[in-house]
Coordinates of all heavy atoms in Angstrom, one line a residue:
V1 N -76.4 204.2 35.9 CA -76.4 205.7 35.8 C -76.8 206.4 37.1 O -76.6 207.6 37.2 CB -77.4 206.2 34.6 CG1 -76.9 205.7 33.3 CG2 -78.8 205.7 34.9
A2 N -77.4 205.7 38.1 CA -77.6 206.2 39.4 C -77.8 205.1 40.4 O -78.1 204.0 40.0 CB -79.0 207.0 39.3
A3 N -77.4 205.5 41.6 CA -77.6 204.5 42.7 C -77.9 205.2 44.0 O -77.7 206.4 44.2 CB -76.2 203.7 42.9
A4 N -78.5 204.5 44.9 CA -78.9 205.1 46.2 C -79.0 204.0 47.3 O -79.1 202.8 46.9 CB -80.2 205.8 46.1
R5 N -78.9 204.4 48.5 CA -79.1 203.5 49.6 C -80.2 204.0 50.5 O -80.2 205.2 50.7 CB -77.8 203.3 50.5 CG -76.8 202.4 50.0 CD -75.8 202.1 51.1 NE -74.9 201.1 50.5 CZ -73.6 201.0 50.9 NH1 -73.2 201.7 51.9 NH2 -72.9 200.0 50.4
A6 N -81.1 203.2 50.9 CA -82.2 203.6 51.8 C -82.0 202.9 53.1 O -81.7 201.8 53.3 CB -83.5 203.1 51.2
H7 N -81.9 203.8 54.1 CA -81.6 203.4 55.5 C -82.9 203.1 56.3 O -83.9 203.8 56.1 CB -80.8 204.4 56.2 CG -79.4 204.6 55.5 ND1 -78.4 203.7 55.6 CD2 -79.0 205.6 54.7 CE1 -77.3 204.1 54.9 NE2 -77.8 205.2 54.3
G8 N -82.9 202.1 57.1 CA -84.0 201.8 58.0 C -84.9 200.9 57.3 O -84.8 200.5 56.1
H9 N -85.9 200.3 58.1 CA -86.8 199.4 57.6 C -88.3 199.9 57.6 O -89.2 199.1 57.9 CB -86.7 198.0 58.3 CG -85.4 197.4 58.0 ND1 -85.1 196.7 56.9 CD2 -84.2 197.4 58.7 CE1 -83.8 196.3 56.9 NE2 -83.3 196.6 58.0
H10 N -88.4 201.1 57.4 CA -89.7 201.7 57.3 C -90.1 202.0 55.9 O -89.3 202.1 55.0 CB -89.8 203.0 58.2 CG -88.8 204.0 57.8 ND1 -87.5 203.9 58.3 CD2 -88.8 205.1 57.0 CE1 -86.8 204.9 57.7 NE2 -87.6 205.6 57.0
A11 N -91.4 202.1 55.6 CA -91.9 202.4 54.3 C -91.4 203.7 53.9 O -91.4 204.7 54.6 CB -93.4 202.3 54.3
Q12 N -90.9 203.8 52.6 CA -90.4 205.1 52.1 C -90.3 205.0 50.6 O -90.4 204.0 50.0 CB -88.9 205.3 52.7 CG -87.9 204.3 52.4 CD -86.6 204.5 53.1 OE1 -86.0 205.6 52.9 NE2 -86.2 203.6 53.9
T13 N -90.2 206.2 50.0 CA -90.1 206.3 48.6 C -88.8 207.0 48.2 O -88.4 208.0 48.8 CB -91.3 207.2 48.0 OG1 -92.5 206.5 48.4 CG2 -91.2 207.3 46.5
T14 N -88.1 206.5 47.3 CA -86.7 207.0 46.8 C -86.9 207.3 45.3 O -87.5 206.5 44.5 CB -85.6 206.0 47.0 OG1 -85.6 205.7 48.4 CG2 -84.3 206.6 46.6
V15 N -86.4 208.4 44.9 CA -86.5 208.9 43.5 C -85.1 208.9 42.9 O -84.2 209.6 43.4 CB -87.2 210.3 43.3 CG1 -87.2 210.7 41.9 CG2 -88.6 210.2 43.9
L16 N -84.9 208.2 41.8 CA -83.6 208.3 41.1 C -83.8 209.0 39.7 O -84.9 208.8 39.1 CB -83.2 206.8 40.7 CG -83.0 205.8 42.0 CD1 -82.8 204.4 41.5 CD2 -81.8 206.4 42.8
T17 N -82.9 209.9 39.4 CA -83.0 210.7 38.3 C -81.8 210.5 37.3 O -80.8 210.3 37.7 CB -83.0 212.2 38.7 OG1 -84.0 212.4 39.7 CG2 -83.2 213.2 37.5
T18 N -82.2 210.6 36.0 CA -81.1 210.5 35.0 C -81.6 211.2 33.7 O -82.7 211.5 33.6 CB -80.7 209.0 34.7 OG1 -79.5 209.0 34.0 CG2 -81.8 208.3 34.0
I19 N -80.6 211.2 32.7 CA -80.9 211.7 31.4 C -80.7 210.6 30.4 O -79.6 210.0 30.4 CB -80.1 213.0 31.1 CG1 -80.4 214.1 32.1 CG2 -80.3 213.4 29.6 CD1 -79.6 215.3 31.9
L20 N -81.7 210.3 29.6 CA -81.6 209.3 28.6 C -80.7 209.8 27.4 O -80.8 210.9 27.0 CB -83.0 208.8 28.0 CG -83.9 208.3 29.1 CD1 -85.2 207.9 28.4 CD2 -83.3 207.0 29.7
P21 N -79.9 208.9 26.8 CA -79.0 209.2 25.7 C -79.8 209.2 24.4 O -79.5 208.4 23.5 CB -77.9 208.1 25.7 CG -78.7 207.0 26.3 CD -79.7 207.5 27.3
T22 N -80.8 210.0 24.2 CA -81.6 210.1 23.1 C -81.3 211.4 22.3 O -80.6 212.3 22.9 CB -83.1 210.1 23.4 OG1 -83.5 211.1 24.3 CG2 -83.4 208.7 24.0
D23 N -81.9 211.7 21.2 CA -81.6 212.9 20.5 C -82.9 213.6 20.3 O -83.8 213.2 19.4 CB -80.9 212.7 19.2 CG -80.5 213.9 18.5 OD1 -80.3 215.0 19.2 OD2 -80.4 214.0 17.3
P24 N -83.3 214.6 21.0 CA -82.6 215.3 22.0 C -82.6 214.5 23.4 O -83.5 213.7 23.5 CB -83.4 216.6 22.2 CG -84.8 216.3 21.8 CD -84.6 215.2 20.8
P25 N -81.6 214.8 24.3 CA -81.7 214.1 25.5 C -83.0 214.3 26.4 O -83.5 215.5 26.3 CB -80.5 214.7 26.3 CG -79.6 215.2 25.2 CD -80.5 215.6 24.1
R26 N -83.5 213.3 27.1 CA -84.7 213.4 27.8 C -84.4 213.0 29.3 O -83.8 212.0 29.5 CB -85.7 212.5 27.3 CG -86.2 212.7 25.9 CD -87.1 211.7 25.4 NE -87.3 211.9 23.9 CZ -88.2 211.2 23.3 NH1 -89.1 210.4 23.9 NH2 -88.4 211.4 22.0
G27 N -84.9 213.9 30.2 CA -84.8 213.5 31.6 C -85.9 212.7 32.0 O -87.0 212.8 31.5
I28 N -85.6 211.7 32.9 CA -86.6 210.8 33.5 C -86.4 210.7 35.0 O -85.2 210.9 35.5 CB -86.6 209.4 32.9 CG1 -85.3 208.7 33.2 CG2 -87.0 209.4 31.4 CD1 -85.4 207.2 32.9
E29 N -87.4 210.3 35.7 CA -87.2 210.0 37.1 C -87.9 208.6 37.3 O -88.9 208.3 36.7 CB -87.9 211.0 38.0 CG -87.3 212.3 38.0 CD -88.0 213.3 38.9 OE1 -89.3 213.1 39.2 OE2 -87.5 214.3 39.3
V30 N -87.4 207.8 38.2 CA -87.9 206.6 38.6 C -88.2 206.6 40.1 O -87.3 206.9 40.9 CB -87.0 205.4 38.3 CG1 -87.5 204.1 38.8 CG2 -86.7 205.3 36.8
E31 N -89.4 206.4 40.5 CA -89.8 206.4 41.9 C -90.0 205.0 42.4 O -90.7 204.2 41.8 CB -91.2 207.1 41.9 CG -91.8 207.3 43.3 CD -93.1 207.9 43.2 OE1 -93.1 209.2 43.2 OE2 -94.1 207.2 43.0
V32 N -89.2 204.7 43.4 CA -89.2 203.3 44.0 C -89.8 203.4 45.4 O -89.3 204.1 46.2 CB -87.8 202.7 44.1 CG1 -87.8 201.2 44.6 CG2 -87.1 202.7 42.7
T33 N -90.9 202.7 45.6 CA -91.6 202.6 46.8 C -91.2 201.4 47.6 O -91.4 200.3 47.1 CB -93.1 202.8 46.7 OG1 -93.4 203.9 46.0 CG2 -93.8 202.8 48.0
L34 N -90.6 201.5 48.7 CA -90.1 200.4 49.6 C -91.2 200.1 50.7 O -91.7 201.0 51.3 CB -88.8 200.7 50.1 CG -87.7 201.1 49.1 CD1 -86.5 201.5 49.9 CD2 -87.4 199.9 48.2
P35 N -91.4 198.8 50.9 CA -92.3 198.4 52.0 C -91.7 198.6 53.3 O -90.5 198.8 53.5 CB -92.6 196.9 51.7 CG -91.3 196.5 51.1 CD -90.8 197.6 50.3

C-alpha cells in the first residue's frame, strides 16, 4: 500500500502512511528508523 526509498547511509526516520480497509476506515502511520 506504500513504498519509499531512503537515500544515503546516515541515520534517518521515514514515515509511511495508509488507510486500513476497516469499517470505518482508519488511517495509520508507520515510522521506520534507519541506522
Side-chain angles (χ1 to χ4, degrees):
V1 294
R5 279 196 177 152
H7 299 284
H9 292 282
H10 53 279
Q12 58 186 302
T13 300
T14 302
V15 177
L16 300 170
T17 305
T18 192
I19 297 176
L20 297 178
T22 58
D23 189 26
R26 300 176 189 189
I28 63 166
E29 293 180 337
V30 176
E31 181 180 272
V32 182
T33 303
L34 303 172

